[in-house]
Amino acid sequence: KDASVGAIVLNARDATESIAAREALLRSEALYQSLLEGLTQNVFQKDLEGRFVFVNRRFCETVGHTREELLG
């Protein structure tokens, strides 16, 4: 049997724009988190099943539970 290669396909793309978008998203998320953590109001978010998916520091203090105890 002939084991020679008949063709080679190369696929390349510039990921610079994708990387920059990802970094911008991470910065935006970090800013959002820091703003919510600094509020003196209770902030929480639940999913459709009623589970906590986000709680800020103030909410944890108010209800007397850690973030780990509340999430999920």
Side-chain angles (χ1 to χ4, degrees):
K1 294 191 175 194
D2 186 4
S4 65
V5 175
I8 296 176
V9 177
L10 296 176
N11 186 3
R13 71 173 219 227
D14 185 358
T16 304
E17 190 174 309
S18 176
I19 292 169
R22 174 81 175 138
E23 290 172 353
L25 178 61
L26 290 173
R27 284 191 304 274
S28 176
E29 288 175 346
L31 176 60
Y32 175 77
Q33 292 292 330
S34 69
L35 289 172
L36 290 178
E37 286 301 322
L39 291 174
T40 57
Q41 292 82 17
N42 294 322
V43 179
F44 66 88
Q45 179 182 8
K46 289 186 172 185
D47 64 14
L48 293 175
E49 285 77 39
R51 295 178 298 233
F52 287 105
V53 294
F54 175 81
V55 292
N56 72 345
R57 176 191 49 79
R58 176 67 177 187
F59 183 80
C60 293
E61 292 170 357
T62 300
V63 299
H65 291 283
T66 66
R67 179 173 280 124
E68 292 74 21
E69 292 171 327
L70 294 168
L71 294 180

